[in-house]
Amino acid sequence: MAPQAHYNTMRAAFETFRRSEPEPEGELEHVNAYTLVVAVALSAQATDAGVNRATRGLFAVADTPQKMLDLGEEGLIEHIKTIGLFRNKAKNVMKLSRILVEEFGGEVPSSRAALQSLPGVGRKTANVVLNMWWRVPAQAVDTHIFRVGNRSGLCPGRDVDAVERAIEDNVPAEYQQHAHHWLILHGRYICKARKPDCGRCIIYDHCAFEEKTA
């Protein structure tokens, strides 16, 4: 597709997303920046719904790094043992909580580099926190975004880093803040991995997927 044609398709697709859901929100429940970091760290290889069920009780008693340290690793495990890889995740949450207390005054930093220095926090997690809490137009590419970006032809890339760059380079600036949420939600509920629901797709006319199931 020629650059101008691709730009026009991108603008039309994301304007459609914006008209449908002007202010999309992430589905992980949190009450502050710290609980957002913990929730995203716990969500790796787990569903948001499963994480939310576990963290409602957890965040009621431990919504700061110091309270998490006071709760202790075993206390944390009691809350999150229904989540996959809970023991390793518990260790990381305790480690990152200690680092936040000892090196950041108990506050969550607002830079990607500082966030990624925390145990269990990779680039995707850092981008989620930057986007959702600090309102930075960072693109947290997960399996849903990777699939939608490539399947639709809107933001293709061989790996998640390439798709992240494709979004940053090609999505018009006015849609950058919400781009990753629109794509995540679209991939989670419409453009599903095994059976995309093309008949309900609001960007059907802007999608290059050759096997559309209208």
Side-chain angles (χ1 to χ4, degrees), residues 179-196:
H180 94 274
H181 275 134
W182 284 320
L183 292 170
I184 285 174
L185 296 171
H186 192 66
R188 184 173 292 164
Y189 297 111
I190 303 297
C191 195
K192 295 172 282 191
R194 294 185 179 180
K195 191 176 181 181

Side-chain angles (χ1 to χ4, degrees), residues 5-6 12 14 23 29 36 42 44-45 57 88 91 110 119 181 193 209:
H6 186 245
F14 280 91
E23 294 290 332
E29 297 173 5
L36 177 58
L42 293 176
Q45 299 182 50
N88 187 57
K91 292 182 184 300
S110 58
H181 275 134
F209 185 41

Side-chain angles (χ1 to χ4, degrees), residues 28 33-44 96 108-109 111-112 115-116 118-134 138-142 164 180:
L28 284 173
Y34 171 70
T35 54
L36 177 58
V37 171
V38 172
V40 179
L42 293 176
S43 70
L96 73 83
V108 174
S111 82
R112 181 183 285 114
L115 285 166
Q116 286 189 245
L118 300 173
V121 177
R123 186 178 180 86
K124 186 186 81 170
T125 298
N127 282 349
V128 171
V129 176
L130 289 172
N131 183 283
M132 291 181 63
W133 192 259
W134 301 110
Q139 307 303 329
V141 178
D142 68 352
E164 181 181 334
H180 94 274

Side-chain angles (χ1 to χ4, degrees), residues 3 11 19 22 37 48 84-85 105 135 145 160 179 197 208:
R11 175 169 290 281
R19 286 200 305 268
V37 171
D48 287 1
L85 307 175
R135 307 296 291 178
I145 292 182
V160 294
D197 193 354

Side-chain angles (χ1 to χ4, degrees), residues 20-158:
S20 176
E21 186 68 49
E23 294 290 332
E25 296 182 355
E27 297 182 325
L28 284 173
E29 297 173 5
H30 59 283
V31 296
N32 54 31
Y34 171 70
T35 54
L36 177 58
V37 171
V38 172
V40 179
L42 293 176
S43 70
Q45 299 182 50
T47 66
D48 287 1
V51 172
N52 289 339
R53 284 192 295 271
T55 57
R56 285 173 193 139
L58 173 63
F59 294 156
V61 297
D63 60 357
T64 69
Q66 186 58 58
K67 288 179 182 179
M68 191 67 75
L69 293 176
D70 294 342
L71 178 64
E73 188 172 322
E74 290 305 314
L76 169 58
I77 285 174
E78 281 302 305
H79 285 279
I80 68 170
K81 60 187 178 183
T82 57
I83 299 175
L85 307 175
F86 65 89
R87 291 194 181 279
N88 187 57
K89 291 177 180 178
K91 292 182 184 300
N92 283 334
V93 168
M94 299 309 293
K95 289 177 183 177
L96 73 83
S97 298
R98 187 165 300 282
I99 290 172
L100 288 174
V101 168
E102 295 178 352
E103 299 182 19
F104 294 95
E107 299 295 327
V108 174
S110 58
S111 82
R112 181 183 285 114
L115 285 166
Q116 286 189 245
S117 74
L118 300 173
V121 177
R123 186 178 180 86
K124 186 186 81 170
T125 298
N127 282 349
V128 171
V129 176
L130 289 172
N131 183 283
M132 291 181 63
W133 192 259
W134 301 110
R135 307 296 291 178
V136 174
Q139 307 303 329
V141 178
D142 68 352
T143 56
H144 296 300
I145 292 182
F146 183 78
R147 178 176 66 256
V148 173
N150 280 286
R151 181 184 276 168
S152 68
L154 293 175
C155 313
R158 296 181 63 180

